[in-house]
Amino acid sequence: MSLLGCRLQALPPLCLSVLLLACLVASMTTESLIPTPAPENSRWGLVRARVVEMVSPLVTRTRDRWQWFWGPGAVQGFVRTYYEDHLKDLGPRTQAWLQSSRDHLLNKTLSLCPQLLCRDLTQG
């Protein structure tokens, strides 16, 4: 399989992962990032405070940027586009794949079969 084919197969799971990450970040509040009270002289208390200080603006900015996404139009458009790109012709593609797989398997079986057992009865 070519490298381009591998990249195209990895695209839908990657998009889904980004979507889930965006949902998670957008649902977080800055209050949920506030650490539980810890001794201020503890190293872990200082680390936790520093992480909250760094992550809090990032969460707020991300939530503000993704606010458009939570409207019904964006989700509806995403689902419609995903259906048209990936699922619309799934039935015919599946049937074609099953037919070609069956034909390939029959050809392979006939090529392995001895002439006496599998010869065509019309040949006589």
Side-chain angles (χ1 to χ4, degrees):
M1 179 177 291
S2 71
L3 187 59
L4 181 60
C6 291
R7 286 183 185 167
L8 291 177
Q9 284 181 339
L11 192 58
L14 179 64
C15 291
L16 183 61
S17 300
V18 169
L19 179 65
L20 291 176
L21 181 63
C23 291
L24 178 69
V25 169
S27 67
M28 291 178 67
T29 62
T30 53
E31 291 80 28
S32 67
L33 296 174
I34 296 174
T36 56
E40 289 302 320
N41 56 359
S42 156
R43 285 189 180 194
W44 288 114
L46 296 175
V47 168
R48 186 179 290 166
R50 181 71 178 141
V51 167
V52 168
E53 181 182 314
M54 289 174 25
V55 172
S56 180
L58 177 67
V59 169
T60 303
R61 261 195 327 255
T62 304
R63 187 182 325 112
D64 292 343
R65 286 182 185 165
W66 281 86
Q67 198 65 351
W68 63 269
F69 182 78
W70 302 114
V75 174
Q76 209 170 28
F78 172 77
V79 170
R80 183 180 304 121
T81 302
Y82 187 84
Y83 172 77
E84 289 172 357
D85 290 347
H86 301 286
L87 303 176
K88 192 173 189 175
D89 61 341
L90 187 62
R93 282 189 301 164
T94 304
Q95 288 178 350
W97 178 80
L98 287 172
Q99 181 73 28
S100 69
S101 296
R102 185 190 66 136
D103 293 344
H104 179 71
L105 184 61
L106 279 173
N107 289 338
K108 181 66 92 173
T109 304
L110 289 175
S111 71
L112 296 174
C113 190
Q115 289 294 328
L116 291 174
L117 296 176
C118 296
R119 72 171 188 226
D120 192 7
L121 294 177
T122 60
Q123 290 179 352

